[in-house]
Amino acid sequence: MNSNRDDRQNRVVVPLHLVRDAIEMADDAWKQYLDIEKMEVVSLPEFPFMGEYDEEDQELADRIEEGWRTRFFGLPSRFDIHEYSIMERFIWSLPEGRTQDSLERAIRGKGAFRRFKDTVRRFGMEQQWYDFQEAKYREIAVEWCESHGFEYSGGPVREEQEKEAVSGAAAGGDQENLVWQEVRTEHIVQDQWIDFRRTAYRLPDGKVYEPFYNYSRRDYVVIVASDEKGDYLCVRQFRQGIKKVTTEFPAGGVERTDGREYGADSDRAATEDVLQAAKRELLEETGYVSDHWSYLFSVPSNATIADNYAHIFKAENCKRSGEQKLDETEFLNVRKYSAAELEELIHQGKFQQAVHIMAWLLAQRT
């Protein structure tokens, strides 16, 4: 009795990107359907107002009911996609160590999705996560098409290609064969302050080359802070790298429970919450506090030779709460600047910290 319908379905070729895009857009407020006659995705509210569709939605609902599983087919819902499970599989694909541990902690309890994304961003793994997620979405799209007897076109659609995409993303999104393999490492200086290393790498063409020098330092925070009048709080201090006194935003290291100033990937020592670190550094360096905080971004401090990250925050309506509480090696003065004055300092080359300039630009966009 169903042979004609089955024959028709077997001749249907679904552009895979339609299903994949619908999977990415899935949420709890809408139900999505593939219309194989027009080859488009249509949607209906999951919870119509007062329990009734408006006229246009009711017409669509009637067409879907009439053409159910002959013309209209329900697409995967949020429940079918199970984003939490995808996050878990991504974490399990990573090597054991600090990164995996941090992500496992991030997905526990309420707010797991937000914490997971923040942690992925903090470790500079956004592209790696997007590649893995993309491969899983394609996998779900392929499974959906095959479960309905549809053929499909576009993108890597066969099983072996899907496996290759997933394994490549799990290994670091290395579809271009650009990763260097660490052959040996010598710790030239490894004390409580820094881990300075000399490393030999096997390059993508198979050759081993050395030396490459790199180091570990602890993560740090940068705070774009403004007071109640809209003036920005900056500090003036000597920077031994360029041997000059610089103007910059309040900033400082994220503290560690082991007292060291750096940490390796395999080190599982707990670190201070970055927002708490930002609040502490603002108070210690300027004597100001704020009740209006915004997280802006996390970025590698110097991706070429260092493994630490800068975490950028914005603090508004800052109020004076007390005096500075500086460390024994900190000698700095607080200065206030208007937005125009800061722009002028930057253009004159007198605001000399690159990450702080990036923080300023980000803050102006939020």
Side-chain angles (χ1 to χ4, degrees), residues 286-297:
T286 69
Y288 280 75
V289 297
S290 173
D291 293 325
H292 303 278
W293 287 86
S294 302
Y295 168 79
L296 297 182
F297 197 60

Side-chain angles (χ1 to χ4, degrees), residues 202-239:
R202 178 173 289 107
L203 305 182
D205 63 1
K207 297 178 182 176
V208 175
Y209 194 90
E210 62 177 315
F212 291 96
Y213 293 96
N214 56 80
Y215 65 88
S216 286
R217 285 295 307 271
R218 60 175 172 169
D219 290 0
Y220 64 96
V221 293
V222 177
I223 308 102
V224 181
S226 56
D227 66 12
E228 295 169 289
K229 295 180 180 180
D231 290 328
Y232 290 87
L233 305 175
C234 294
V235 294
R236 296 269 296 162
Q237 61 185 315
F238 182 78
R239 289 303 190 184

Side-chain angles (χ1 to χ4, degrees), residues 219-222 295 297-301 308-312 355 358:
D219 290 0
Y220 64 96
V221 293
V222 177
Y295 168 79
F297 197 60
S298 293
V299 64
S301 176
N308 63 330
Y309 278 72
H311 307 284
I312 315 301
V355 172
M358 182 203 71

